[in-house]
């Protein structure tokens, strides 16, 4: 399920960002509950501006399993950029692809977007599987788009349109 982030999620956000795989998922370090609270507040601020919409991905008990968001919203062109992450415990269970499917439906129906894009490093086949399972079509390669620790990475671009049939 998707729901808006709440201040009470700070401990769960802090725990998620303690995972070494998560460190590059935020522009600012999330190394304390206070920093996690600021991360959550930033998502709320962007929501209020209409520039990005972030959701906590939770199970039936309300346990945080990850994040799914659409950012870089461009109202003129009705486009947005999808990003997501999951906690270590949620990986490999289909959580991210289900969250991306739900997010896309929300973005098309409620945010009135038409085109959603997402990208992943080509050395991350799990993210490619998530994108494809969520109905995003491969559109091309963005050469050396991202840099982590001084290494440039190619990114595969995927997109989904409001008119695309769900596969």
């Amino acid at each position: 399920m998707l729901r808006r982030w709440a201040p009470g999620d700070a401990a769960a956000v802090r725990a998620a960002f303690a995972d070494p795989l998560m460190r590059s998922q935020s522009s600012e370090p999330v190394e304390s509950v206070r920093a996690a609270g600021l991360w959550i507040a930033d998502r709320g601020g962007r929501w209020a501006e209409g520039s990005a919409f972030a959701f906590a991905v939770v199970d039936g008990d309300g346990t945080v399993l990850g994040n799914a968001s659409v950012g870089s919203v461009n109202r003129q062109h009705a486009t947005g950029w999808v990003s997501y992450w999951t906690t270590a415990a949620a990986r490999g269970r289909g959580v991210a692809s289900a969250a991306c499917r739900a997010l896309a439906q929300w973005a098309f129906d409620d945010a009135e977007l038409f085109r959603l894009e997402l990208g992943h490093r080509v050395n991350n086949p799990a993210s490619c599987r998530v994108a494809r399972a969520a109905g995003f079509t491969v559109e091309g390669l963005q050469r050396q788009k991202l840099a982590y620790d001084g290494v440039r990475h190619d990114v595969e671009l995927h997109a989904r349109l409001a008119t695309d049939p769900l596969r």
Side-chain angles (χ1 to χ4, degrees):
M1 295 186 312
L2 302 181
R3 67 161 170 78
R4 294 209 32 203
W5 285 102
D9 296 324
V13 169
R14 165 62 191 106
F17 280 98
D19 179 347
L21 292 175
M22 289 291 298
R23 298 195 195 254
S24 65
Q25 296 295 319
S26 178
S27 58
E28 298 291 325
V30 183
E31 297 175 341
S32 67
V33 171
R34 182 180 181 288
L38 292 172
W39 184 92
I40 292 168
D42 181 61
R43 266 89 209 132
R46 292 177 190 200
W47 190 296
E49 295 169 355
S51 63
F53 305 97
F55 293 91
V57 180
V58 298
D59 66 12
D61 296 326
T63 301
V64 172
L65 303 175
N67 174 74
S69 64
V70 59
S72 299
V73 172
N74 181 309
R75 289 286 172 204
Q76 177 182 352
H77 300 295
T79 61
W81 184 265
V82 170
S83 60
Y84 54 89
W85 53 260
T86 56
T87 62
R91 289 185 199 129
R93 298 178 16 207
V95 170
S97 55
C100 286
R101 280 191 302 275
L103 176 70
Q105 200 60 56
W106 179 89
F108 297 144
D109 295 345
D110 296 345
E112 299 178 337
L113 298 180
F114 179 77
R115 177 184 169 87
L116 299 175
E117 299 175 349
L118 68 78
H120 62 83
R121 291 188 321 262
V122 294
N123 66 346
N124 186 345
S127 279
C128 188
R129 287 189 297 274
V130 167
R132 287 176 181 262
F136 286 74
T137 300
V138 174
E139 289 195 333
L141 185 69
Q142 297 172 305
R143 297 178 311 132
Q144 298 187 23
K145 181 176 182 177
L146 301 177
Y148 293 105
D149 300 322
V151 177
R152 306 272 341 159
H153 297 272
D154 291 348
V155 171
E156 187 171 71
L157 178 66
H158 297 246
R160 183 167 165 199
L161 307 179
T163 54
D164 286 346
L166 216 85
R167 296 180 245 159

